Each structure stands twice: as C-alpha cells, then as structure tokens.
Amino acid sequence: MNHILDRAAWNALQTSHADIAEGGDLARRYPPSIVPFAAMRDQSPESWDALANLLSGEEVAAIVELGPLEIPPALEVVREMELVQMIAQGPYERISDPRIETLTPADAEEMLDLANLTKPGPFTLGAQKLGTFWGIKVDGKLVAMGGQRLRQPGFAELSGLCTHPDSQGRGFGKLLFRFVAGEISARGDTVYLHAFSGNTTAISLYEALGFKLRATFNLRAVKRRAA
C-alpha cells in the first residue's frame, strides 16, 4: 500500500489544507501567494490538462513525485531537482526557551527577507497560512526561524528552518529544530522534512538529530509554454 507521504502535496491538499486548495478532482495547487506546490490525481492527459489550466501567465507550479514525471508539451520545465524525504524515528520532547517567540503576520516581511537570504526552500509572504512559525530575534531583528509547511492526518513537515549568516554558530538552528519538532510531536503528529539530495551536510545533520531517509523524489517546476 502507498504511504500517505508518497504524495505529500496531493494528500495535504485533499485533507489538512483542503480549505486553501485551488482546483478540483484532477489537479490541485496551493495559492501561489502561499507556496508553489501543486499535485495531480495521476499522470493521465486529463490530469495534466487540469494542472495546466490552473496556471496563468508566468505562474510556476512545483510538482514532486516518487517516479519519473512525463511532462506534456503544453508545459515547460523551468527547474528540476532531486529531493530526499526524511522522517523522525520517534517523537521529540517539547521544550521551551525564552528566546523563542511565535511569529505573526507582522513579521512576514522579515521572514521573507531571511528566507531569500538563506534559501531554505520556497517561501512567500503567505507562508504562515500553512502553519505556525517561530523565531529568535536579536536586538529586535529576526535572525533565525522555523515552522511547519505541508500537513496530512498524523504528519507535519518541519520547514523554513534558517539562520542569518551573521548569527550562525550560536546554536539557533538546532534549538529551533528541536523546538518545532517538539511542538509537532506534542500534537501527536510525526515529524518529517525534505532536503535537496545534494545537500549532504544538512542530511547528515538531520540524521544526527534523529531522522532517517524515507524516499527520494523528483521535483519539476513547470509553467505553461508560450504559444
């Protein structure tokens, strides 16, 4: 039987994030202002057509699948990468630290600036609509953050973890990692995450922090091909 995380975006858009999903039975996506992920029921021509019809202009959809992706002529690949999915081997203890605070929409601009600087993955001003984010500020400036992205029944993705280059080496990243993982575990969900397969440093760190490799995925960012 397929695991619910084999098609993480599709299953999130069908369940925990159905209220913000755009599309229908053949293809769904997150609003581009939140995150570029999209998914299809299958790779039939009808599903590909439904996905293409969700895109307009230069909008890009990021599709992640276990197997090969047969991109139809109507769509153009603008980026292709390989991802690994890692899953926690057990629950994490819930911790507290006075330096960590819950981030709010008032922090969105700073969060986007930090994400653009450190490149933890796709990030937008609307990222907080996917789940709670927490951060550490120094002298009133956001220097580290982490939160939740995709969610399915019983699972939540730890994402957006990053630290400003000027504040690295102070343990902020590991602290926020443990904090976010603990918050997810306290809710009764299993923690998982994604990393680029070439980022061996991050993968080794996540393994040391209690994660194991679950699967490798293909990512294709696509847009409608110009007529």
Side-chain angles (χ1 to χ4, degrees):
M1 293 182 64
N2 293 334
H3 193 284
I4 194 170
L5 297 184
D6 288 349
R7 309 200 68 224
W10 177 253
N11 289 321
L13 288 162
Q14 297 274 57
T15 58
S16 301
H17 289 154
D19 59 326
I20 58 174
E22 297 179 351
D25 293 338
L26 294 176
R28 293 191 172 198
R29 72 167 181 177
Y30 287 94
S33 61
I34 297 177
V35 75
F37 289 116
M40 302 170 298
R41 184 189 67 186
D42 51 35
Q43 292 200 55
S44 66
E46 294 79 14
S47 294
W48 279 114
D49 286 344
L51 175 68
N53 289 334
L54 289 175
L55 305 177
S56 61
E58 292 296 308
E59 287 181 343
V60 173
I63 307 167
V64 178
E65 292 287 349
L66 268 173
L69 282 157
E70 303 293 335
I71 310 297
L75 294 171
E76 174 185 353
V77 176
V78 296
R79 190 179 188 190
E80 53 185 272
M81 302 194 73
E82 188 177 77
L83 301 177
V84 295
Q85 185 184 88
M86 305 183 74
I87 192 166
Q89 298 185 65
Y92 284 78
E93 179 185 0
R94 197 175 196 179
I95 65 171
S96 63
D97 190 293
R99 294 170 293 180
I100 299 175
E101 60 182 87
T102 303
L103 300 178
T104 73
D107 299 302
E109 292 281 358
E110 269 199 286
M111 294 168 67
L112 182 60
D113 288 344
L114 183 59
N116 286 338
L117 178 66
T118 56
K119 310 294 184 187
F123 202 89
T124 68
L125 287 172
Q128 292 179 77
K129 293 181 180 179
L130 297 176
T132 306
F133 277 76
W134 295 269
I136 296 174
K137 296 180 181 179
V138 175
D139 297 329
K141 179 182 178 181
L142 182 67
V143 298
M145 68 175 181
Q148 303 164 86
R149 188 167 62 181
L150 303 185
R151 289 183 60 185
Q152 304 80 14
F155 296 88
E157 181 192 21
L158 191 157
S159 183
L161 189 71
C162 55
T163 303
H164 193 285
D166 294 342
S167 294
Q168 290 179 359
R170 301 173 66 176
F172 292 159
K174 285 186 179 180
L175 174 61
L176 279 167
F177 182 97
R178 291 173 53 229
F179 181 89
V180 177
E183 293 298 302
I184 293 172
S185 294
R187 197 172 59 228
D189 290 342
T190 298
V191 191
Y192 72 100
L193 55 81
H194 293 98
F196 294 121
S197 60
N199 193 350
T200 55
T201 300
I203 293 170
S204 296
L205 173 62
Y206 296 144
E207 288 176 335
L209 290 170
F211 278 69
K212 64 178 179 180
L213 180 66
R214 191 187 159 267
T216 301
F217 291 81
N218 294 310
L219 181 153
R220 298 291 182 271
V222 301
K223 67 177 182 179
R224 291 186 68 121
R225 191 178 297 278

